[in-house]
Amino acid sequence: MRLNLQTDYALRLLMFLAAEGRQASVDSIAEAFGVSRHHLMKVAQQLAALGYVEARRGRGGGLVLAREPATIVVGEVVRALESTGQFVECFDAGTNTCRIRGGCGLQGALRLALGDFMARLDRYTLADLVPDRPRFERLLDRSTG
């Protein structure tokens, strides 16, 4: 399975905020990861709408986590951002044109695998993704310096 770029950026943004433990600008996060500010801004807006981050406007504004890192479950974030209902064509009855639908075991196997994947992510919180905050910050400093 491959997560879409939006989910990848969202998880990186959340990890950055968890490691920083304070407010950060979209510009500083984009620079730290070497990613598009424009794309990251869209992701930040979506995370704010979902209640994971708080966006503060104006001079001195930026992003902060809206919840404690230990309460943000990784699987929930991924579900909110990924369209797993269309993992493969046969998952969507409305657009499915697969000629072997109902005659193969692939759909069932993939549903189980996807369920296992998400169940594994449900075991992790944002706090688990940044267990060593100083090391995380050093790695980001090294990539921008």
Side-chain angles (χ1 to χ4, degrees):
M1 169 155 188
R2 180 181 176 125
L3 298 177
N4 67 48
L5 190 60
Q6 173 184 358
T7 304
D8 180 15
Y9 282 10
L11 292 171
R12 289 195 228 180
L13 185 151
L14 292 171
M15 290 184 335
F16 185 97
L17 293 175
E20 286 289 306
R22 61 181 172 81
Q23 182 173 290
S25 70
V26 170
D27 288 338
S28 66
I29 300 168
E31 182 180 328
F33 287 113
V35 300
S36 163
R37 179 198 182 282
H38 177 74
H39 284 70
L40 197 63
M41 180 63 79
K42 288 182 179 181
V43 169
Q45 290 170 344
Q46 188 164 16
L47 288 173
L50 292 167
Y52 292 112
V53 301
E54 180 184 322
R56 298 177 178 166
R57 295 186 179 270
R59 185 178 174 159
L63 303 171
V64 292
L65 287 177
R67 299 170 24 198
E68 289 297 315
T71 68
I72 298 175
V73 177
V74 176
E76 290 175 8
V77 175
V78 171
R79 276 187 199 85
L81 298 170
E82 289 287 328
S83 177
T84 57
Q86 296 179 5
F87 185 58
V88 291
E89 181 186 13
C90 61
F91 277 24
D92 186 346
T95 60
N96 180 32
T97 61
C98 181
R99 293 181 178 193
I100 59 172
R101 180 173 176 243
C104 78
L106 180 61
Q107 184 180 32
L110 290 175
R111 281 197 195 281
L112 285 173
L114 185 58
D116 290 346
F117 177 74
M118 296 308 297
R120 178 65 65 169
L121 291 179
D122 285 339
R123 295 180 184 173
Y124 293 92
T125 68
L126 183 56
D128 297 322
L129 301 184
V130 189
D132 184 350
R133 288 169 58 172
R135 181 169 186 252
F136 186 89
E137 291 170 352
R138 281 193 309 274
L139 289 170
L140 285 176
D141 287 343
R142 191 176 323 144
S143 68
T144 60

